[in-house]
Structures are given as structure tokens and as C-alpha cells.
Amino acid sequence: MYETRLIIAGRHVAPDPVVAFERRDPVSDAVVTRAAAARAGDARAAAVAAASAFADWAATPVRERIGLLTAAADALVSRANEVVEIACAEVGSAPDWVRFNTGLAAAMLRQTADLAELLDGTETPLPGHILRRRPAGVVLGIAPWNAAVTLATRAVAAPLACGNTVVLKGSELCPKTHEWVAETICGAGLPDGVLNYITNAPDHAEEVVDALIAHPAVRRVNFTGSTRVGREIATLAAQHLKPCLLELSGKGTAVVLADADLDHAAAAIAHGSFFNQGQICMSTERVIVEASVADALVSRLAREAEALRFAPGNPSPLGALIGPSAAVRIRAMIDEAVSKGAVLVTGGELSGGGLQPAVLDRVAPGMMLYDQEAFGPVTGVIRVADAEEALAIANDTEFGLVASVFSRDTDAARDMLCQIETGIGHVNGSTVYDDPRLPFGGVKASGYGRFGGRDAVAEFTECQWMAIHDQPSSGGRTNNQ
């Protein structure tokens, strides 16, 4: 059994036996982690520690800050076996998924080197005027469980590179995994208080988050998670005039046009739909296909899904669902769709903590699978008459994170993507794809703001401009009077 501690001002705070909470294995229900349960007072202490460390960290040369983050990237990779064991136990992840996450997290830390030029200089947009970027202050990062290593790292990497100090609030579903990330990054040489880590029991989440957002030292909030919780975070932050970066729910869409390479499209859609049991914000949940090739695509997609099936009682190569309630919820969505006319082509059986990859054909408006995020290994095929209808259906969703268009005519596919309301688009590729060098985020109910790339600098710094005025003339009047 693991034990998780708070990290406040470089000091590790062990869990109090009275207030600690437990995280259980999602498959066996055995206790995996005994975690420190922070309350509002601990949250405020973490914010104070970050505020106390801010001035010195902000004054640290940019290259030195980035050097420490690069060293942290090396540490993540060298210690990857540790977090594979932890995350597989806490959230049921497949080992390959955790290793992939760890490599991507390291790339995120290394990518901060690309920001050095923006952070280390000034601009002169007009004669006698200077623009500069300066750190915002204390940043609150709230990370989810589903890509635990990557998303905890993303919550802190750019803020730290920009000269901010950070309080990372871990998920109660993977407290040890998130502690490992914070501890590894701190261990690369960060001064005490630059990165603080807290966890809370599920019943105390609102209390802890409220205390952090309300704290006057906290100047920025970034949150990755559900749209439902994101709305609550945004409302609270607005009350305190704290800018937010919100990366929220998705309903990843793949549009397959009649001239597409169907074998390639089916393979890419299966990857996007079923990787990590479909528990990815970018997962492909809607497949919009022209009717003339729909039968051929569905048969290929079924074969791809069946190749990923796992034996009952054996671990799935796709990992496990986060818990039994997730399996029950997703199965209920499948049953509801079938009751309203959808066809379950393959999959959907509950087994060993996971769900067999499921493909449903003839999904239509009025079904939960049409417009609600499933967050599981299920994808729904929607048949349309032509490309014009495909575009209309692609935009018939409250979410707008990612879409892919499959066509041999890449110009036509790109033109369609330009008309789809989404933050990220792919031509002939899986919806599950990220590159730390590029801005990541969505539109509509998928949130606002951007992680990644140079756009992150604008999220985690303040823009200050200065005008250099002429000295007074001998008559005591300035030249612009």
C-alpha cells in the first residue's frame, strides 16, 4: 500500500490517521493508497508557501528555470518504472499507456525551452514604447486522473517556466501518481515552495478548491476535467476576477467522406475510440460517414474493435475503466441507444474491470450517445447523405475539442475542418494526438484558453507596456504638452 503526503514549502506532510482517505484498485477493490486529506487550512498554507517563494523564483534567470525543468524531464524518464507500477494500481492503466504518458510529460517539460526567447526579452512596437511579459504570481493547477502523468505535468510546466510558483491539486482517484509527478519535478532542484502539492478526500474537494481560488496570492487557475466541474470552477474564479484556462469534456468527431481510404480510416478511428478504454478527452465518440460507404466502414471498424477484445478475467491491453460505476453508466448509454433504434455491431460486454470495445451503428439525435460524452470504449456511427450533411452534424454538438476528416482529397478535408467548430483538427489522422509545441484546447463547452506552445506564455504571464517619455524642456514643459 502506498502513502501519499502533502508537499508544502518543501516539507512533506504525512497523512493524519483520522483524516486520511483511501484509493482502491478499480478492479480488485483492494486499498492501494492511503492519502493525506487536506482541508482549507492546508490549502491556504500551500498558497502562502507559493507566494513566499514567488519573488525569488520570478527573479531566477529564465535559462536557469528551464534548465531545472529539463532536468526534471530526465528524471521522469529515468524513474518511469516507478510510476508505471503506481498508476496501473491506482487507476487501472495499461503499462504502455503510462509509459506513453511519461514520455509526453517529459517532452512538455523540455518544450519550455522554446519559450525562453519570449520570456527573456522585450518588444518595441512603437518608438519609445516597450512591451514585456512578467510572471502572474501563484498558479493553481487542478489535474485529472485519466492521463495522470501528462496532465499533472502540463498543469505546472509552462507556469513554472514563466516564473510563477504553483499549487498542484491532485486527483483523489490517483493521489500517489500525482504526488510522484510533483516530487520528481521538485527533486530536480526547485527551491522550496516553488511547487506545492495537496490532495483532498472527495468530500472536501469543494472546500479546498474554494479556499485556493479565493486566496489573494492565487492569480491564475488551470483546470482539466469535466465541463460540469469546469463551469463551477469558472463561476468561482469569476467572482474573484481570476483568469482561468479550462480544458474540458469532448465528443471527438471523425468525418469519413465517400472517397476516404476506409482501411486507414477504420484503423485511425479504432485508435481514437478505444485507446485507454476511451478515457481520453480527445477520444473518437462520433463517426459521421457518407451513406454510400457506411456499410463498408462499419464492417472494417467492427474488425478493428474485435481485434482489441480481451479474454474475460484477464487484464485488457486497453487498461481498465476507472471504476464499476463507469462501466454501468456506459452500458446504460449503449442500451438506451439500442432501445431507440441503434444497432450494437460488436462489443459492450462488461469484463474484468473493462468494457469490450463497442461499435454502434445508426446512432441518431435523441440518443445519449449522440450528444453526451461517454468517456469509455464506445463509438457511434451516424450515417449522412453527403458532405454537406456531414458538416452540419459535425457542428451539432455543444463540444468543440477535436475533429478528424478522412478523404483522399486533403484540400477538401482541410476546407471542411476550417468550418467545423473545434480547437483541434486532423486530416486523415486519429483524434487522439498531441504535440507539446502546439496550442491545445477547445471551444464551446470544451473550454477556453490554450496549454502548449507559445500560446501558453499569454496564459501564465501579465503583459506590461511602458512608455519612455522625453525629459522636460528648459521651460519645464514636456515635448508632448
Side-chain angles (χ1 to χ4, degrees):
M1 185 175 70
Y2 300 110
E3 184 174 274
T4 296
R5 302 172 293 177
L6 311 180
I7 304 173
I8 300 176
R11 183 171 62 91
H12 293 76
V13 183
D16 185 314
V18 177
V19 296
F21 71 99
E22 296 176 344
R23 170 59 185 160
R24 294 176 176 269
D25 184 301
V27 178
S28 70
D29 200 41
V31 176
V32 174
T33 304
R34 181 172 167 271
R39 301 297 297 267
D42 302 300
R44 287 189 284 268
V48 168
S52 299
F54 172 67
D56 287 345
W57 181 246
T60 301
V62 173
R63 303 286 175 176
E64 185 176 336
R65 295 198 302 258
I66 290 172
L68 292 173
L69 297 180
T70 301
D74 295 339
L76 289 182
V77 173
S78 67
R79 296 177 57 188
N81 287 340
E82 299 170 9
V83 78
V84 168
E85 181 178 330
I86 296 167
C88 288
E90 279 196 324
V91 295
S93 297
D96 286 348
W97 171 246
V98 184
R99 292 188 188 281
F100 170 77
N101 263 256
T102 304
L104 185 56
M108 288 175 171
L109 290 167
R110 294 189 179 109
Q111 185 270 332
T112 59
D114 297 343
L115 310 180
E117 182 181 347
L118 293 177
L119 297 169
D120 208 16
T122 58
E123 298 178 54
T124 54
L126 297 170
H129 292 73
I130 295 172
L131 287 180
R132 61 184 289 264
R133 286 278 174 184
R134 65 181 184 187
V138 176
V139 174
L140 167 61
I142 306 175
W145 56 268
N146 59 309
V149 179
T150 297
L151 299 181
T153 302
R154 188 178 72 174
V156 307
L160 290 172
C162 290
N164 304 288
T165 52
V166 175
V167 177
L168 173 65
K169 195 197 90 65
S171 168
E172 55 266 32
L173 298 179
C174 59
K176 187 63 180 179
T177 307
H178 280 168
E179 183 207 43
W180 181 89
V181 172
E183 197 168 44
T184 302
I185 294 174
C186 287
L190 268 61
D192 291 349
V194 170
L195 174 57
N196 305 274
Y197 174 69
I198 63 170
T199 55
N200 56 263
D203 290 346
H204 303 148
E206 184 176 353
E207 170 189 332
V208 167
V209 172
D210 286 1
L212 285 167
I213 293 178
H215 197 283
V218 173
R219 301 294 179 84
R220 292 288 190 278
V221 178
N222 72 72
F223 170 79
T224 301
S226 71
T227 295
R228 178 185 62 81
V229 177
R231 292 184 198 277
E232 298 172 0
I233 298 286
T235 299
L236 182 60
Q239 292 173 1
H240 297 280
L241 297 180
K242 307 285 179 77
C244 283
L245 193 172
L246 302 174
E247 198 259 283
L248 308 177
S249 302
K251 190 73 177 172
T253 298
V255 176
V256 182
L257 300 179
D259 68 338
D261 180 328
L262 299 183
D263 290 327
H264 172 75
I269 291 167
H271 172 271
S273 299
F274 307 130
F275 199 25
N276 193 39
Q277 283 278 328
Q279 299 171 126
I280 306 172
C281 59
M282 299 173 282
S283 291
T284 308
E285 296 200 4
R286 302 193 307 161
V287 180
I288 303 168
V289 56
E290 289 196 69
S292 61
V293 295
D295 288 344
L297 178 71
V298 169
S299 65
R300 286 167 170 80
L301 189 53
R303 286 198 297 270
E304 294 285 347
E306 288 162 2
L308 296 171
R309 290 179 65 87
F310 51 96
N314 292 335
S316 165
L318 304 173
L321 289 168
I322 190 61
S325 61
V328 171
R329 175 183 56 80
I330 297 163
R331 182 66 216 195
M333 294 178 78
I334 292 172
D335 292 340
E336 188 258 4
V338 170
S339 73
K340 293 182 176 180
V343 178
L344 178 57
V345 179
T346 188
E349 304 92 341
L350 305 180
S351 180
L355 195 75
Q356 297 288 9
V359 177
L360 282 89
D361 192 8
R362 301 186 185 279
V363 170
M367 302 175 186
M368 289 189 291
L369 278 176
Y370 180 85
D371 53 19
Q372 295 183 25
E373 184 182 41
F375 216 64
V378 54
T379 196
V381 176
I382 304 166
R383 297 176 178 232
V384 295
D386 52 28
E388 183 177 357
E389 186 182 3
L391 176 60
I393 295 296
N395 284 327
D396 185 28
T397 172
E398 67 172 321
F399 302 111
L401 183 59
V402 61
S404 293
V405 178
F406 293 87
S407 172
R408 286 188 169 88
D409 185 341
T410 56
D411 289 338
R414 185 183 62 189
D415 289 345
M416 177 175 282
L417 276 176
C418 289
Q419 299 175 74
I420 296 177
E421 297 161 349
T422 181
I424 302 164
H426 302 284
V427 173
N428 295 322
S430 171
T431 58
V432 176
Y433 174 84
D434 188 18
D435 188 318
R437 297 168 296 181
L438 299 174
F440 188 99
V443 299
K444 301 195 293 188
S446 290
Y448 47 75
R450 294 293 183 270
F451 288 104
R454 298 162 73 90
D455 289 48
V457 172
E459 301 287 350
F460 299 114
T461 59
E462 299 285 5
C463 179
Q464 181 185 46
W465 69 267
M466 294 176 281
I468 313 302
H469 296 276
D470 295 339
Q471 292 287 336
S473 64
S474 57
R477 296 171 63 87
T478 61
N479 289 346
N480 61 359
Q481 285 181 308

